[in-house]
Amino acid sequence: MTARRAILIELPKDRCDVDYIRRLMALTNLAYRDYETWVPDLPKTIQRHLHGFKNFMESLVFGTEPKRWFAETWVPLKTLRVYQDGSMKGDKSAPVVLDFKNSVIKIRQVCRSVSGFVVELPMPRWVVERVNEGGDVRFAMIGLKNDKPYLTLVAEREVESRDPSGYILAIDVNAWSNGVAYGIINPNNRIAEYSPLRPNLRLIDTWYHKAEKLSKELGKLKRLGLGQTPEAERLKREINILRRKTYAYLRDFAQKRAHELAMKAIRLRTLVVIDDMIEESRRELLEMKLPSGLRKLYLAYARRFVKLLVTQLEWYGIPYKFERLPSTVCPVCKHELIYLPGRVMICPNCGFKAPRDKVPILWVVNLKYK
Ligand SMILES: [Zn+2]
């Protein structure tokens, strides 16, 4: 099986012609639709590139067909890899050169329509790590996100599934507002380790409500026709900073926790069982009466977490499956559980009692995956 991982790198704006990149994206969109894209004023290598990339289209993670006309389509690019010992792999005329000898990435001709124009970037550690793990970066993409130029590198690797050791890592992504709960079940079917992983909710809550309050103030100013005043500009800036901080915090949390769990799975050669019942999460968040903006944010990052986790599990060849692990049904007798204060669940039928977050893990114990 081919596993893929990707990284997004922001390009220096002063070295890139955003309009040129936008034009390349539009031409890519046309090429996807089988239109001829020969235009006289583009460098020949880029022309050929746009024309020929269909041959490797399906190799790209992001290279799915654009759904509508003029949808933003990233420009797929081939790469040339130059290794420490001087050996090379790939197309010599490729627009992206990964130079491991000098630890730089060179982007040729796609940042600006000037013959021989090169943008050089430091080689990200991410690329070196993926290559050391046996991966190869055969493709890259360039495109705009919120009008800012980015390069995406796609690492590929052939993986063979490892034989699980009898350990199971159960992961419950029940509601992001309560974080992620995981448990490690040993071959004797005992819980060897169990822990909920929670983001700092109070922090997110504070930032979110502060941003909401400032938005209301800004709205008032706008209605009074004062939307362009220095005071309004100051509010806009502050709101942006708060939002960015919130996203950065949640993104970081998702990334770090996904990585941590993947590393645990590698160390113990576990099978991973994931319950990502986003529907139940949504309901739970509704019951908590969270503001809808915050609810959406939590769900978005819960999804992101699952995606990051699965990508890493595939990359390292760790077997995984999705399984429904209901936290409101008794894992012993399947009777409906009752909520006690303090997130404890109890079964009125058989007397089973456990913390809410532990119930899904106990489901895995009782199902006895082997
Ligand atoms: Zn029961």
Side-chain angles (χ1 to χ4, degrees), residues 329-337 346-353:
V329 180
C330 176
V332 181
C333 70
K334 302 198 169 59
H335 196 279
E336 191 89 3
L337 294 171
I346 191 163
C347 175
N349 186 39
C350 74
F352 167 89
K353 190 177 166 189

Side-chain angles (χ1 to χ4, degrees), residues 170-174 178-185 189-198 275 280 284 325-332 337 339 342-346 352-367:
I171 300 172
D172 175 30
V173 191
N174 58 73
N178 288 298
V180 176
Y182 79 89
I184 292 171
I185 297 138
N189 218 22
R190 292 232 142 75
I191 298 180
E193 193 181 324
Y194 158 78
S195 179
L197 305 168
R198 291 202 169 99
D275 182 1
E280 184 179 318
E284 200 165 296
L325 307 168
S327 52
T328 53
V329 180
C330 176
V332 181
L337 294 171
Y339 266 101
R343 291 179 69 78
V344 170
M345 307 300 277
I346 191 163
F352 167 89
K353 190 177 166 189
R356 152 78 179 73
D357 294 335
K358 209 170 183 173
V359 176
I361 317 293
L362 289 163
W363 263 98
V364 178
V365 172
N366 282 17
L367 287 171

Side-chain angles (χ1 to χ4, degrees), residues 207 210-223 225-245 247:
W207 289 340
K210 212 164 157 192
E212 286 296 285
K213 199 177 135 243
L214 295 178
S215 297
K216 268 189 203 135
E217 282 176 33
L218 181 63
K220 255 186 235 158
L221 286 180
K222 277 185 179 160
R223 278 193 299 280
L226 301 171
Q228 306 297 330
T229 56
E231 173 64 4
E233 294 302 326
R234 188 187 61 80
L235 284 173
K236 275 182 218 165
R237 262 199 313 276
E238 257 184 76
I239 294 164
N240 269 337
I241 290 170
L242 284 166
R243 296 224 164 108
R244 267 208 299 273
K245 266 205 311 208
Y247 301 152

Side-chain angles (χ1 to χ4, degrees), residues 283-319:
R283 245 181 291 128
E284 200 165 296
L285 289 169
L286 277 171
E287 281 161 19
M288 290 172 72
K289 297 193 175 61
L290 282 172
S292 79
L294 204 50
R295 201 159 57 219
K296 273 187 203 138
L297 208 59
Y298 281 146
L299 283 173
Y301 280 93
R303 282 202 186 94
R304 192 186 176 110
F305 167 83
V306 173
K307 200 169 166 237
L308 283 167
L309 179 68
V310 165
T311 308
Q312 293 198 27
L313 295 178
E314 284 178 358
W315 180 262
Y316 293 112
I318 302 161

Side-chain angles (χ1 to χ4, degrees), residues 11 20-21 24 28 32 45-47 49-50 52-54 56-57 59-60 63 74-81 91 93-98 105-111 137-143 150-154:
L11 295 171
Y20 174 55
I21 295 173
L24 289 180
T28 305
Y32 268 116
T45 41
I46 298 306
Q47 301 247 21
H49 202 83
L50 280 179
F53 78 81
K54 285 202 167 174
F56 55 89
M57 203 158 72
S59 313
L60 292 163
W74 285 49
V75 186
L77 307 167
K78 284 188 196 171
T79 69
L80 170 70
R81 286 85 73 205
D91 184 344
S93 66
V96 177
V97 182
L98 305 175
I105 295 178
K106 289 178 205 147
I107 310 168
R108 308 193 282 208
Q109 306 259 1
V110 279
C111 292
V137 181
R138 287 161 61 215
F139 301 108
M141 298 185 101
I142 196 169
Y150 283 90
L151 181 76
T152 291
L153 296 173
V154 184

